């Protein structure tokens, strides 16, 4: 197994690091294990770099023009396919994916290595473009890199890279249309060539029924329609399938996922961009109801905990006039009030009877205030019965007596 080529400078080292991940990703699709994938990617990378350096050293055409060549990443991916074909013919086909082995031994694989005019239209169109334009188209459409990253990698202005990409897409369409007209084809296919060009130019153009039936049965014209139709999102698949061949769609999906992970953009789509999901909406309503219920229960529990307790907690806010005069400052529960008594004395009584002692609610204790003077004891008046005088003995009654004593009564 050959070693990886040594980069000549820092720019080439950066190019190696950018291209190695793409080569390894496609080699993993083509093989049956990680060990075989590393071996295939290493051999293909060395082969592709030798071809790129040879093409750069020998332009092959006049000054200012270069020989038709794919950009770096598609060039290395085709080197993977070429190395896999060499493994199949060299007795190492058991290391490859079974489906790839079937494809390598079919007529489909011959189109990529046969006469140039018979090769896929996307492969020919990308190869005929300038290297700068081809790199921009491949990185944006197939590698699925954001335009800001593409602009930084290619040294473009981020403010104008979107316009340049639109122009490059138009150039690719023109190259594909010209190559389609140059391709040897049957008379029926050629009769639909101009109609196919007119239909694919506009997004709102309707495809005639006869052309639609022809595209369903003709692979060559269907590939041309995919390259000519720039709207609808079919251009990335046309490029990947036309340049790589086997596994193009799987590679396209892998590169999209790799770009999302590498840039930290693996987030779900906005809600407005997603199709309506009744199950998700129902679950969202249930979650909202549960949240509102929990908040209400919490507020209710908080209110109950702040309410005063005891028998006198709820009152009408009225008090007797005598309470303010008779009440002494005591430390009591803030939410407890004493029961009020009637404050209107009877008009018929001369003196109001003493107020009975107030009953203290059960379970309530009074904490004496050490600084407050104790109230003077109240004198209570007890109704005692009047004292009785001792009865004097009755006075003796004088009666006339026949005997006279020392003092005789005088006759009247």
């Amino acid at each position: 197994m050959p070693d990886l080529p040594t980069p000549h400078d820092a720019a080439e080292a950066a190019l190696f690091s950018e291209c190695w991940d793409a080569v390894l990703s496609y080699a993993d699709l083509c093989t049956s294990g990680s060990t075989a994938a590393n071996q295939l990617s290493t051999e293909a990378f060395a082969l592709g770099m030798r071809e790129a350096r040879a093409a750069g050293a020998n332009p092959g055409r006049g000054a200012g023009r270069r020989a038709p060549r794919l950009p770096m990443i598609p060039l290395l991916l085709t080197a993977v396919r070429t190395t896999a074909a060499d493994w199949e013919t060299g007795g190492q086909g058991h290391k490859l994916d079974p489906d790839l082995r079937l494809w390598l031994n079919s007529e489909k694989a011959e189109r990529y290595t046969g006469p140039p005019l018979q090769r896929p239209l996307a492969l020919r169109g990308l190869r005929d473009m300038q290297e700068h334009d081809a790199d921009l188209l491949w990185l944006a459409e197939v590698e699925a890199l954001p335009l800001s990253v593409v602009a930084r990698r290619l040294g473009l202005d981020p403010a104008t890279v979107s316009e340049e990409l639109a122009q490059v897409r138009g150039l690719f369409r023109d190259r594909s249309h010209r190559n389609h007209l140059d391709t040897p084809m049957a008379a029926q296919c050629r009769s639909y060539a101009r109609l196919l060009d007119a239909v694919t130019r506009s997004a709102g153009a309707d495809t005639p029924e006869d052309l639609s039936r022809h595209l369903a049965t003709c692979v060559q014209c269907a590939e041309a329609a995919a390259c000519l139709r720039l709207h609808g999102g079919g251009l990335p698949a046309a490029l990947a399938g036309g340049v790589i061949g086997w596994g193009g769609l799987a590679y396209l999906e892998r590169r999209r996922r790799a770009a999302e992970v590498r840039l930290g953009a693996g987030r779900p789509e906005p809600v407005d961009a997603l199709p309506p999901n009744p199950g998700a909406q129902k679950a969202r309503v249930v979650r909202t109801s549960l949240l509102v219920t929990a908040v209400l229960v919490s507020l209710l529990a908080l209110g109950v905990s702040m309410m005063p307790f005891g028998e006198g907690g709820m009152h009408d806010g009225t008090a007797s006039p005598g309470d303010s005069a008779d009440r002494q400052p005591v430390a009591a529960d803030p939410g407890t009030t004493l029961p009020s008594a009637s404050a209107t004395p009877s008009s018929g009584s001369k003196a109001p009877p003493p107020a009975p002692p107030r009953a203290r609610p059960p379970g309530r204790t009074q904490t004496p205030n050490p600084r407050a003077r104790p109230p003077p004891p109240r004198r209570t008046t007890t109704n005692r019965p009047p004292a009785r005088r001792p009865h004097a003995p009755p006075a003796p009654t004088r009666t006339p007596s026949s005997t006279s004593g020392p003092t005789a009564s005088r006759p009247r």
Side-chain angles (χ1 to χ4, degrees), residues 2-271:
D3 296 332
L4 289 175
T6 303
H8 292 165
D9 50 16
E12 194 172 37
L15 182 64
F16 281 12
S17 63
E18 294 171 357
C19 298
W20 172 254
D21 183 61
V23 174
L24 182 60
S25 179
Y26 184 56
D28 185 69
L29 286 173
C30 297
T31 54
S32 57
S34 58
T35 303
N38 289 326
Q39 181 181 357
L40 179 61
S41 59
T42 302
E43 294 183 10
F45 197 88
L47 175 62
M49 290 307 302
R50 288 196 301 267
E51 293 180 358
R53 288 174 178 176
N58 301 317
R61 289 191 180 183
R65 301 191 62 184
R66 67 172 182 88
R69 182 171 61 88
L70 291 172
M72 183 57 65
I73 292 181
L75 177 65
L76 295 175
L77 296 179
T78 55
V80 173
R81 186 189 64 222
T82 302
T83 306
D86 295 339
W87 278 18
E88 177 66 21
T89 57
Q92 302 184 56
H94 60 280
K95 299 180 182 179
L96 301 176
D97 185 90
D99 293 337
L100 175 60
R101 299 184 67 182
L102 292 175
W103 186 84
L104 291 173
N105 293 283
S106 65
E107 297 180 355
K108 296 179 181 179
E110 297 179 357
R111 294 186 57 204
Y112 293 84
T113 58
L117 293 180
Q118 296 293 339
R119 294 178 183 179
L121 199 61
L123 178 62
R124 296 160 56 189
L126 192 66
R127 179 174 292 174
D128 291 344
M129 296 176 63
Q130 296 293 326
E131 184 177 2
H132 174 84
D133 298 338
D135 281 331
L136 175 59
L137 185 64
W138 185 268
L139 292 177
E141 297 292 344
V142 180
E143 299 299 322
L145 296 179
L147 293 183
S148 59
V149 178
V150 175
R152 184 172 63 254
R153 181 177 296 188
L154 300 180
L156 302 176
D157 185 5
T160 60
V161 65
S162 179
E163 299 178 1
E164 292 190 25
L165 179 60
Q167 296 176 3
V168 167
R169 287 172 178 168
L171 292 176
F172 175 78
R173 189 187 186 281
D174 293 341
R175 296 293 192 278
S176 299
H177 177 59
R178 187 187 62 184
N179 291 330
H180 179 58
L181 297 178
D182 295 341
T183 302
M185 63 183 74
Q188 186 180 12
C189 296
R190 189 167 296 279
S191 64
Y192 285 115
R194 298 187 180 278
L195 179 60
L196 183 63
D197 177 39
V199 168
T200 55
R201 283 185 180 274
S202 175
D206 296 331
T207 304
E209 185 178 355
D210 55 344
L211 178 60
S212 179
R213 288 196 303 266
H214 177 72
L215 294 177
T217 57
C218 181
V219 177
Q220 189 176 15
C221 292
E223 291 180 354
C227 294
L228 297 176
R229 184 178 288 112
L230 301 180
H231 49 81
L235 184 58
L239 286 170
V243 175
I244 300 175
W246 183 88
L249 296 180
Y251 173 81
L252 185 65
E253 182 64 24
R254 281 197 174 194
R255 300 313 294 164
R256 290 183 182 276
R257 294 180 180 178
E260 292 177 355
V261 172
R262 181 169 57 251
L263 299 175
R267 296 184 298 271
E269 296 181 359
V271 179

Side-chain angles (χ1 to χ4, degrees), residues 343-406:
T344 306
S346 176
S347 61
S349 59
K350 296 181 179 180
R358 299 186 180 186
R360 192 178 303 278
R364 179 182 176 187
T365 59
Q366 179 174 355
T367 304
N369 189 355
R371 297 184 179 180
R373 291 184 179 181
R378 296 181 180 181
R379 293 182 180 181
T380 58
T381 305
T382 306
N383 295 329
R384 295 180 181 179
R388 295 182 181 181
R389 295 180 180 180
H391 296 279
T397 305
R398 292 183 180 180
T399 57
S401 174
S402 56
T403 63
S404 58

Side-chain angles (χ1 to χ4, degrees), residues 266-291:
R267 296 184 298 271
E269 296 181 359
V271 179
D272 297 337
L274 295 176
N277 189 346
Q281 294 179 359
K282 182 178 180 181
R284 190 180 302 110
V285 171
V286 173
R287 288 195 300 267
T288 305
S289 302
L290 293 178
L291 180 60

